[in-house]
Structures are given as C-alpha cells and as structure tokens.
Short mmCIF file of all heavy atoms in Angstrom, two decimals:
data_model
loop_
_atom_site.label_atom_id
_atom_site.label_comp_id
_atom_site.label_asym_id
_atom_site.label_seq_id
_atom_site.Cartn_x
_atom_site.Cartn_y
_atom_site.Cartn_z
N SER A 1 0.84 -1.19 0.00
CA SER A 1 0.00 0.00 0.00
C SER A 1 0.88 1.24 0.00
O SER A 1 1.96 1.25 0.58
CB SER A 1 -0.92 0.03 1.23
OG SER A 1 -1.77 -1.09 1.25
N CYS A 2 0.39 2.27 -0.63
CA CYS A 2 1.08 3.55 -0.64
C CYS A 2 0.05 4.65 -0.46
O CYS A 2 -0.84 4.81 -1.31
CB CYS A 2 1.85 3.74 -1.94
SG CYS A 2 2.59 5.38 -2.13
N ALA A 3 0.17 5.39 0.62
CA ALA A 3 -0.71 6.51 0.90
C ALA A 3 0.01 7.80 0.56
O ALA A 3 1.05 8.11 1.14
CB ALA A 3 -1.15 6.50 2.36
N ALA A 4 -0.55 8.53 -0.37
CA ALA A 4 0.03 9.79 -0.81
C ALA A 4 -0.72 10.95 -0.18
O ALA A 4 -1.94 10.95 -0.12
CB ALA A 4 -0.01 9.90 -2.33
N SER A 5 0.01 11.95 0.28
CA SER A 5 -0.60 13.10 0.91
C SER A 5 0.14 14.37 0.51
O SER A 5 1.27 14.32 0.02
CB SER A 5 -0.62 12.96 2.44
OG SER A 5 0.71 12.85 2.94
N GLY A 6 -0.50 15.50 0.72
CA GLY A 6 0.10 16.78 0.44
C GLY A 6 -0.29 17.39 -0.89
O GLY A 6 0.06 18.55 -1.16
N ARG A 7 -0.99 16.65 -1.71
CA ARG A 7 -1.48 17.12 -2.99
C ARG A 7 -2.78 16.41 -3.31
O ARG A 7 -3.12 15.40 -2.70
CB ARG A 7 -0.48 16.82 -4.12
CG ARG A 7 0.84 17.53 -4.06
CD ARG A 7 0.72 18.99 -4.46
NE ARG A 7 2.03 19.60 -4.62
CZ ARG A 7 2.77 20.07 -3.62
NH1 ARG A 7 2.33 19.99 -2.37
NH2 ARG A 7 3.95 20.62 -3.87
N ASP A 8 -3.47 16.95 -4.29
CA ASP A 8 -4.56 16.23 -4.91
C ASP A 8 -3.95 15.39 -6.02
O ASP A 8 -3.48 15.94 -7.02
CB ASP A 8 -5.61 17.19 -5.46
CG ASP A 8 -6.78 16.50 -6.14
OD1 ASP A 8 -6.77 15.26 -6.25
OD2 ASP A 8 -7.72 17.20 -6.55
N PHE A 9 -3.96 14.10 -5.86
CA PHE A 9 -3.28 13.21 -6.78
C PHE A 9 -4.19 12.65 -7.87
O PHE A 9 -3.80 11.71 -8.57
CB PHE A 9 -2.61 12.06 -6.02
CG PHE A 9 -1.44 12.51 -5.20
CD1 PHE A 9 -1.59 12.81 -3.87
CD2 PHE A 9 -0.18 12.64 -5.77
CE1 PHE A 9 -0.52 13.24 -3.11
CE2 PHE A 9 0.90 13.06 -5.03
CZ PHE A 9 0.73 13.37 -3.70
N THR A 10 -5.35 13.23 -8.01
CA THR A 10 -6.29 12.74 -9.01
C THR A 10 -5.69 12.71 -10.41
O THR A 10 -5.92 11.78 -11.18
CB THR A 10 -7.57 13.59 -9.02
OG1 THR A 10 -8.15 13.60 -7.71
CG2 THR A 10 -8.58 13.04 -10.01
N SER A 11 -4.90 13.72 -10.74
CA SER A 11 -4.32 13.83 -12.07
C SER A 11 -2.94 13.19 -12.20
O SER A 11 -2.32 13.28 -13.25
CB SER A 11 -4.24 15.29 -12.49
OG SER A 11 -5.53 15.88 -12.57
N TYR A 12 -2.48 12.57 -11.14
CA TYR A 12 -1.17 11.93 -11.14
C TYR A 12 -1.28 10.48 -11.56
O TYR A 12 -2.26 9.79 -11.25
CB TYR A 12 -0.54 11.96 -9.75
CG TYR A 12 0.05 13.28 -9.33
CD1 TYR A 12 -0.75 14.39 -9.09
CD2 TYR A 12 1.43 13.41 -9.15
CE1 TYR A 12 -0.20 15.59 -8.69
CE2 TYR A 12 1.99 14.61 -8.75
CZ TYR A 12 1.17 15.70 -8.51
OH TYR A 12 1.72 16.89 -8.11
N THR A 13 -0.26 10.03 -12.26
CA THR A 13 -0.07 8.61 -12.43
C THR A 13 0.62 8.07 -11.18
O THR A 13 1.64 8.60 -10.76
CB THR A 13 0.78 8.31 -13.67
OG1 THR A 13 0.12 8.82 -14.83
CG2 THR A 13 0.99 6.82 -13.83
N LEU A 14 0.05 7.05 -10.60
CA LEU A 14 0.65 6.39 -9.46
C LEU A 14 1.23 5.06 -9.91
O LEU A 14 0.64 4.38 -10.76
CB LEU A 14 -0.36 6.17 -8.34
CG LEU A 14 -1.07 7.43 -7.81
CD1 LEU A 14 -2.02 7.05 -6.68
CD2 LEU A 14 -0.06 8.46 -7.33
N GLY A 15 2.36 4.71 -9.36
CA GLY A 15 2.98 3.48 -9.81
C GLY A 15 3.91 2.86 -8.79
O GLY A 15 4.21 3.45 -7.75
N TRP A 16 4.32 1.67 -9.11
CA TRP A 16 5.27 0.93 -8.31
C TRP A 16 6.50 0.60 -9.14
O TRP A 16 6.37 0.12 -10.27
CB TRP A 16 4.65 -0.36 -7.77
CG TRP A 16 3.59 -0.13 -6.75
CD1 TRP A 16 2.25 -0.05 -6.96
CD2 TRP A 16 3.79 0.04 -5.34
NE1 TRP A 16 1.59 0.17 -5.78
CE2 TRP A 16 2.50 0.22 -4.76
CE3 TRP A 16 4.91 0.05 -4.52
CZ2 TRP A 16 2.33 0.42 -3.40
CZ3 TRP A 16 4.73 0.26 -3.16
CH2 TRP A 16 3.46 0.43 -2.62
N TYR A 17 7.65 0.86 -8.58
CA TYR A 17 8.92 0.48 -9.14
C TYR A 17 9.62 -0.46 -8.18
O TYR A 17 9.30 -0.51 -6.99
CB TYR A 17 9.81 1.70 -9.38
CG TYR A 17 9.35 2.62 -10.49
CD1 TYR A 17 8.24 3.43 -10.35
CD2 TYR A 17 10.06 2.69 -11.69
CE1 TYR A 17 7.83 4.28 -11.36
CE2 TYR A 17 9.66 3.54 -12.71
CZ TYR A 17 8.55 4.33 -12.54
OH TYR A 17 8.16 5.17 -13.55
N ARG A 18 10.57 -1.19 -8.69
CA ARG A 18 11.36 -2.03 -7.81
C ARG A 18 12.82 -2.03 -8.25
O ARG A 18 13.13 -1.80 -9.42
CB ARG A 18 10.83 -3.46 -7.77
CG ARG A 18 10.98 -4.25 -9.06
CD ARG A 18 10.28 -5.60 -8.95
NE ARG A 18 10.43 -6.39 -10.17
CZ ARG A 18 9.78 -7.52 -10.39
NH1 ARG A 18 8.92 -8.00 -9.49
NH2 ARG A 18 9.98 -8.19 -11.53
N GLN A 19 13.67 -2.28 -7.30
CA GLN A 19 15.09 -2.34 -7.57
C GLN A 19 15.71 -3.48 -6.76
O GLN A 19 15.67 -3.46 -5.53
CB GLN A 19 15.79 -1.02 -7.25
CG GLN A 19 17.24 -0.99 -7.69
CD GLN A 19 17.81 0.42 -7.67
OE1 GLN A 19 17.35 1.28 -6.93
NE2 GLN A 19 18.82 0.65 -8.49
N ALA A 20 16.24 -4.44 -7.48
CA ALA A 20 16.95 -5.55 -6.86
C ALA A 20 18.43 -5.23 -6.82
O ALA A 20 18.93 -4.43 -7.62
CB ALA A 20 16.68 -6.84 -7.63
N PRO A 21 19.17 -5.87 -5.92
CA PRO A 21 20.61 -5.62 -5.85
C PRO A 21 21.29 -5.85 -7.19
O PRO A 21 21.08 -6.87 -7.84
CB PRO A 21 21.09 -6.63 -4.80
CG PRO A 21 19.89 -6.86 -3.94
CD PRO A 21 18.71 -6.80 -4.88
N GLY A 22 22.09 -4.88 -7.60
CA GLY A 22 22.83 -4.99 -8.83
C GLY A 22 22.03 -4.75 -10.09
O GLY A 22 22.56 -4.92 -11.19
N LYS A 23 20.79 -4.36 -9.94
CA LYS A 23 19.93 -4.13 -11.10
C LYS A 23 19.40 -2.70 -11.13
O LYS A 23 19.39 -2.01 -10.12
CB LYS A 23 18.76 -5.12 -11.12
CG LYS A 23 19.16 -6.56 -11.35
CD LYS A 23 17.95 -7.44 -11.55
CE LYS A 23 18.35 -8.86 -11.89
NZ LYS A 23 17.16 -9.73 -12.12
N GLN A 24 18.97 -2.29 -12.30
CA GLN A 24 18.34 -0.99 -12.47
C GLN A 24 16.95 -0.98 -11.85
O GLN A 24 16.28 -2.02 -11.77
CB GLN A 24 18.24 -0.65 -13.96
CG GLN A 24 19.56 -0.54 -14.69
CD GLN A 24 20.23 0.79 -14.46
OE1 GLN A 24 19.57 1.82 -14.35
NE2 GLN A 24 21.54 0.78 -14.36
N ARG A 25 16.53 0.19 -11.43
CA ARG A 25 15.17 0.34 -10.98
C ARG A 25 14.23 0.19 -12.18
O ARG A 25 14.47 0.78 -13.24
CB ARG A 25 14.96 1.70 -10.31
CG ARG A 25 13.59 1.87 -9.68
CD ARG A 25 13.48 3.17 -8.90
NE ARG A 25 14.41 3.23 -7.79
CZ ARG A 25 14.41 4.17 -6.86
NH1 ARG A 25 13.51 5.15 -6.90
NH2 ARG A 25 15.31 4.15 -5.89
N GLU A 26 13.19 -0.58 -12.02
CA GLU A 26 12.28 -0.84 -13.12
C GLU A 26 10.84 -0.59 -12.72
O GLU A 26 10.45 -0.77 -11.56
CB GLU A 26 12.43 -2.29 -13.62
CG GLU A 26 12.04 -3.34 -12.60
CD GLU A 26 12.04 -4.74 -13.16
OE1 GLU A 26 12.13 -4.91 -14.39
OE2 GLU A 26 11.95 -5.70 -12.35
N LEU A 27 10.06 -0.19 -13.70
CA LEU A 27 8.63 -0.01 -13.48
C LEU A 27 7.97 -1.37 -13.37
O LEU A 27 8.14 -2.24 -14.23
CB LEU A 27 8.01 0.78 -14.63
CG LEU A 27 6.50 0.95 -14.59
CD1 LEU A 27 6.08 1.82 -13.41
CD2 LEU A 27 5.99 1.55 -15.89
N VAL A 28 7.18 -1.54 -12.33
CA VAL A 28 6.41 -2.76 -12.14
C VAL A 28 5.00 -2.59 -12.67
O VAL A 28 4.50 -3.42 -13.43
CB VAL A 28 6.38 -3.16 -10.65
CG1 VAL A 28 5.52 -4.40 -10.45
CG2 VAL A 28 7.79 -3.39 -10.13
N ALA A 29 4.35 -1.52 -12.26
CA ALA A 29 2.98 -1.27 -12.67
C ALA A 29 2.66 0.19 -12.44
O ALA A 29 3.22 0.83 -11.55
CB ALA A 29 1.99 -2.15 -11.90
N SER A 30 1.75 0.72 -13.24
CA SER A 30 1.30 2.09 -13.07
C SER A 30 -0.18 2.17 -13.35
O SER A 30 -0.74 1.34 -14.07
CB SER A 30 2.08 3.04 -13.98
OG SER A 30 1.82 2.79 -15.34
N ILE A 31 -0.78 3.21 -12.79
CA ILE A 31 -2.21 3.41 -12.99
C ILE A 31 -2.50 4.90 -13.07
O ILE A 31 -2.01 5.69 -12.27
CB ILE A 31 -3.03 2.72 -11.88
CG1 ILE A 31 -4.53 2.90 -12.12
CG2 ILE A 31 -2.63 3.24 -10.49
CD1 ILE A 31 -5.38 1.99 -11.23
N PHE A 32 -3.29 5.26 -14.05
CA PHE A 32 -3.78 6.62 -14.20
C PHE A 32 -5.30 6.54 -14.20
O PHE A 32 -5.88 5.78 -14.98
CB PHE A 32 -3.27 7.26 -15.48
CG PHE A 32 -3.79 8.65 -15.70
CD1 PHE A 32 -3.25 9.72 -15.01
CD2 PHE A 32 -4.83 8.89 -16.59
CE1 PHE A 32 -3.72 11.00 -15.20
CE2 PHE A 32 -5.31 10.18 -16.78
CZ PHE A 32 -4.75 11.23 -16.08
N GLY A 33 -5.91 7.32 -13.34
CA GLY A 33 -7.33 7.16 -13.15
C GLY A 33 -7.59 5.81 -12.53
O GLY A 33 -6.87 5.37 -11.63
N SER A 34 -8.59 5.14 -13.03
CA SER A 34 -8.93 3.83 -12.49
C SER A 34 -8.73 2.68 -13.46
O SER A 34 -8.74 1.52 -13.04
CB SER A 34 -10.39 3.83 -12.01
OG SER A 34 -11.28 4.09 -13.08
N ASP A 35 -8.52 2.99 -14.74
CA ASP A 35 -8.45 1.91 -15.71
C ASP A 35 -7.34 2.03 -16.74
O ASP A 35 -7.24 1.17 -17.63
CB ASP A 35 -9.80 1.74 -16.43
CG ASP A 35 -10.29 3.02 -17.08
OD1 ASP A 35 -9.53 4.01 -17.12
OD2 ASP A 35 -11.44 3.04 -17.53
N ASN A 36 -6.52 3.04 -16.65
CA ASN A 36 -5.37 3.16 -17.53
C ASN A 36 -4.17 2.55 -16.81
O ASN A 36 -3.52 3.20 -16.01
CB ASN A 36 -5.11 4.61 -17.91
CG ASN A 36 -4.08 4.76 -19.01
OD1 ASN A 36 -3.34 3.82 -19.32
ND2 ASN A 36 -4.03 5.94 -19.60
N ILE A 37 -3.92 1.29 -17.09
CA ILE A 37 -2.98 0.49 -16.32
C ILE A 37 -1.93 -0.13 -17.21
O ILE A 37 -2.23 -0.60 -18.32
CB ILE A 37 -3.74 -0.61 -15.55
CG1 ILE A 37 -4.68 0.00 -14.51
CG2 ILE A 37 -2.76 -1.58 -14.88
CD1 ILE A 37 -5.62 -0.98 -13.87
N ASN A 38 -0.71 -0.14 -16.74
CA ASN A 38 0.38 -0.81 -17.42
C ASN A 38 1.12 -1.71 -16.44
O ASN A 38 1.29 -1.36 -15.27
CB ASN A 38 1.36 0.20 -18.02
CG ASN A 38 0.77 0.97 -19.18
OD1 ASN A 38 0.38 0.37 -20.19
ND2 ASN A 38 0.69 2.28 -19.06
N TYR A 39 1.58 -2.84 -16.94
CA TYR A 39 2.37 -3.78 -16.15
C TYR A 39 3.64 -4.15 -16.88
O TYR A 39 3.66 -4.23 -18.12
CB TYR A 39 1.60 -5.08 -15.90
CG TYR A 39 0.38 -4.95 -15.03
CD1 TYR A 39 -0.89 -4.93 -15.59
CD2 TYR A 39 0.50 -4.88 -13.65
CE1 TYR A 39 -2.01 -4.82 -14.79
CE2 TYR A 39 -0.63 -4.78 -12.84
CZ TYR A 39 -1.88 -4.75 -13.42
OH TYR A 39 -3.00 -4.65 -12.62
#
C-alpha cells in the first residue's frame, strides 16, 4: 500500500517500481485514473 498526501493526486499517475541488488530500478505497474494500467 502507498498513501500519498500533500497534494490532490487525481491527475497523477501512481505506480510501483522495484530495484533488486545490482539491477536498475524498473517499473512494475502504473495506474492513471482507475483503468489506464500498465504492467
């Protein structure tokens, strides 16, 4: 879970990235609105 505060994030894309040891940070998933989703 990620709780965002301090702004109205309605117009923001929210996403998850991950970084394993020795690897680049990579996008895992993102969501804009409720149905614009990438994995």
Side-chain angles (χ1 to χ4, degrees):
S1 299
C2 173
S5 61
R7 295 285 190 278
D8 180 356
F9 290 95
T10 303
S11 298
Y12 283 68
T13 299
L14 303 181
W16 291 94
Y17 290 72
R18 68 186 181 189
Q19 187 166 26
K23 293 188 176 182
Q24 298 280 324
R25 186 174 298 189
E26 64 174 348
L27 175 67
V28 177
S30 65
I31 182 168
F32 178 78
S34 61
D35 55 8
N36 190 344
I37 295 171
N38 291 300
Y39 294 102

